[in-house]
Amino acid sequence: MSPPAPGPPITRPLALDGGRGWAIVASGFLALLLGYGSPQSVGVLYPEWLLAFGEGKAVTAWVGSLVGGVGLIVGPVCSVCVVNFGARPVTVFSGVMVAGGLMLSSFAPNVPFLIFSYGLVVGVGVGLLYAATLTITCLYFDKRRGLALGIVSSGTSVGGFLYATLQSELIELLGLDGCLLIIGALALNVVACAGPMRPLTPPRYYLKQRAAILERQLQEEAELSNQKPSDKDQGITTETKEPPVRRRSLFSCSSFIKTIKIKTRGYTQCLSSMLSLLQDRVLMALCICLFFFSLGNTPPQLFLQELARSSGLTEGVASISLVSLYSIGGGVGRLGLGVMADMPWVDSVHLYALTVGVSGLAVLLIPFTSSYQDLQVLSLVLGFLSGNWTLTPYVTSQVVGVEKLAEAHGILMFFGGVGITLGPPVVGCFYDVSQSYDVAFFICGGGMMVSSIVLFLATVSLRPQTPPPPSVAPETELNSCTVTLVTDATSPVA
């Protein structure tokens, strides 16, 4: 009975780098297209909500900021769900959440209800979907991981491009409510995309249940063997008749307390392990850089179309919308930057810092635009540079190693989620006060450029002091967490 039990956890399946892995890439691409299509093109819905509910720009902007930020803020929780239950059930659950949130938003009577249904429900759903698709892709690819992640994550940009036109047409034909109902029905197809996402190793929840069953069987066998005392123990049985009875009466309470202590100790060690990652100065600089990038790059996606309308730049111009151009640039950027990250002569961290700095420069140029064509060019540039989200798991694995990828990536997504959540409302507040976007764009662009310089200096001066993760000393500290990350830490590394 004992030999088969430790078999699955010990085996370390190799990443396939092809074969079934490309089916995972295709399903992940389609799932992100269907799930992120509406959130990525929320700039089309934003002016309609302003007209429908008559609220201020800052209040209404919370809907678009939360749908993109809350999923990343709960990134650590999403990563834990994927590790414990597997990518397939999490994808199914996320599809139901996204579809339900979109359909519920069609009945929204006011903006606060819309913040809950569209911002929180849909936001958490796409956050779970993002964590599941990226995790299962990393497990199936090693040498071509950058290309695979680029293809999968480009599904968000393709979805934003397609849904920008689709939502505009549906709003003209069926109105805002009918549009959200149709988009929600399409999002249900995410459930079907979970089919090919078979894990290489059993999820941790399955392993825990299996271990609990084996432990229960061993306890029953031990109790049966203890009920038949030998002749040598007859002198002791008279003194130990009561303890078994008392042990049975208090067994549930004592085991419950013991379980709580074990769980608390494990969670405390995992939390301390995650906090210890922030002592890496490169990772901390990366978190700060991602925060300012999310704070400054997200508002143009939401406000550029409204800025063009309010400035009168769209009059007499019949061309593709800025939201669609942003999505096109994002799709090309995710693929292009993913391919560049796989090149041996490219430093992925420096590449990420460069994209953030150039993106900050593009945001600084927005107040100086004088035509719709200028905004179209900046939309393409900002969309292309927003493709550096493909680099975040790649850069994280380069900084802390694959063994700590799930923990570090969850922390990184938390900082990015906070930036996405605060960006549009902050810009909206500046507009409500000054009736202009210029000051907000200057602050956002300047913050992005400064943070990129900080990251570049951290990698140049301090990166040699943070060597790759040779797991020699940390084994004693990470025993409890390595069990949690067994599905993330096995396959990508041989």
Side-chain angles (χ1 to χ4, degrees):
M1 181 180 297
S2 55
I10 292 177
T11 57
R12 296 173 61 86
L14 298 176
L16 300 179
D17 278 311
R20 184 182 178 86
W22 294 117
I24 301 294
V25 170
S27 63
F29 172 86
L30 187 58
L32 291 182
L33 186 152
L34 295 170
Y36 270 93
S38 182
Q40 284 292 313
S41 58
V42 69
V44 176
L45 302 175
Y46 177 72
E48 302 297 330
W49 287 330
L50 287 175
L51 295 175
F53 300 111
E55 295 284 352
K57 295 181 184 296
V59 177
T60 311
W62 277 106
V63 182
S65 65
L66 282 175
V67 73
V70 72
L72 300 180
I73 291 177
V74 298
V77 179
C78 296
S79 299
V80 170
C81 292
V82 174
V83 171
N84 281 273
F85 302 105
R88 183 181 290 169
V90 172
T91 303
V92 171
F93 184 73
S94 65
V96 175
M97 282 196 69
V98 173
L102 290 171
M103 293 180 180
L104 193 62
S105 299
S106 64
F107 303 99
N110 48 42
V111 173
F113 186 90
L114 202 62
I115 290 175
F116 166 75
S117 61
Y118 196 95
L120 294 180
V121 178
V122 178
V124 174
V126 295
L128 289 169
L129 181 62
Y130 186 80
T133 52
L134 262 63
T135 300
I136 195 67
T137 304
C138 287
L139 292 179
Y140 271 83
F141 286 88
D142 185 12
K143 297 179 182 178
R144 301 177 181 176
R145 187 181 301 159
L147 175 61
L149 288 173
I151 295 174
V152 171
S153 58
S154 64
T156 61
S157 300
V158 175
F161 168 70
L162 296 177
Y163 274 60
T165 305
L166 177 62
Q167 289 185 145
S168 299
E169 296 295 331
L170 289 176
I171 289 174
E172 292 183 2
L173 293 175
L174 305 174
L176 183 59
D177 298 341
C179 170
L180 291 173
L181 282 175
I182 298 297
I183 298 299
L186 290 175
L188 280 175
N189 292 286
V190 173
V191 176
C193 297
M197 297 182 183
R198 183 181 64 188
L200 292 175
T201 55
R204 184 170 180 254
Y205 180 78
Y206 169 79
L207 296 177
K208 287 171 60 178
Q209 294 297 320
R210 182 177 177 182
I213 293 174
L214 293 177
E215 184 179 0
R216 191 179 301 113
Q217 291 177 354
L218 292 176
Q219 288 180 355
E220 292 177 357
E221 293 178 0
E223 290 180 359
L224 291 175
S225 61
N226 290 334
Q227 288 179 0
K228 298 178 180 180
S230 59
D231 296 336
K232 298 179 181 180
D233 299 333
Q234 285 182 355
I236 308 176
T237 52
T238 56
E239 300 178 2
T240 59
K241 278 185 178 179
E242 294 182 4
V245 177
R246 192 179 68 176
R247 180 169 54 88
R248 287 184 178 179
S249 61
L250 298 177
F251 177 74
S252 58
C253 181
S254 62
S255 64
F256 180 70
I257 296 175
K258 187 182 297 184
T259 302
I260 291 179
K261 291 182 178 179
I262 294 174
K263 293 286 186 182
T264 305
R265 190 184 306 118
Y267 292 144
T268 303
Q269 292 178 356
C270 286
L271 180 61
S272 63
S273 175
M274 294 182 70
L275 293 178
S276 67
L277 291 174
L278 294 177
Q279 297 177 2
D280 189 326
R281 298 184 182 182
V282 179
L283 181 63
M284 193 64 201
L286 188 61
C287 291
I288 296 174
C289 189
L290 180 60
F291 169 77
F292 281 99
F293 174 77
S294 304
L295 187 71
N297 188 270
T298 307
Q301 182 183 4
L302 187 64
F303 291 109
L304 275 186
Q305 194 68 36
E306 174 63 22
L307 173 64
R309 286 186 182 181
S310 61
S311 302
L313 300 179
T314 59
E315 296 179 359
V317 177
S319 59
I320 190 170
S321 67
L322 299 178
V323 177
S324 299
L325 289 173
Y326 188 96
S327 301
I328 293 173
V332 176
R334 290 172 191 270
L335 285 174
L337 294 175
V339 173
M340 291 178 63
D342 283 334
M343 296 180 179
W345 50 271
V346 174
D347 190 320
S348 58
V349 182
H350 291 168
L351 177 62
Y352 185 85
L354 179 64
T355 58
V356 174
V358 177
S359 182
L361 179 61
V363 172
L364 286 176
L365 293 176
I366 292 177
F368 300 100
T369 56
S370 57
S371 65
Y372 192 75
Q373 286 73 21
D374 295 339
L375 291 178
Q376 287 179 324
V377 173
L378 289 179
S379 296
L380 278 173
V381 173
L382 289 172
F384 179 85
L385 296 172
S386 69
N388 66 359
W389 283 99
T390 301
L391 301 176
T392 51
Y394 198 95
V395 170
T396 307
S397 63
Q398 294 293 320
V399 174
V400 301
V402 183
E403 289 79 8
K404 301 179 182 179
L405 174 61
E407 292 174 321
H409 191 261
I411 296 173
L412 202 62
M413 291 299 101
F414 175 82
F415 279 86
V418 174
I420 290 177
T421 303
L422 296 180
V426 168
V427 174
C429 285
F430 273 102
Y431 182 87
D432 291 339
V433 173
S434 62
Q435 297 299 311
S436 174
Y437 292 105
D438 295 351
V439 177
F441 285 143
F442 285 143
I443 295 175
C444 292
M448 293 164 68
M449 297 188 69
V450 171
S451 64
S452 66
I453 296 174
V454 171
L455 177 60
F456 181 78
L457 295 177
T459 56
V460 171
S461 60
L462 297 174
R463 199 173 182 183
Q465 300 177 7
T466 57
S471 55
V472 179
E475 284 184 357
T476 55
E477 299 180 4
L478 298 181
N479 271 340
S480 61
C481 280
T482 50
V483 179
T484 304
L485 302 177
V486 63
T487 55
D488 286 341
T490 51
S491 55
V493 180

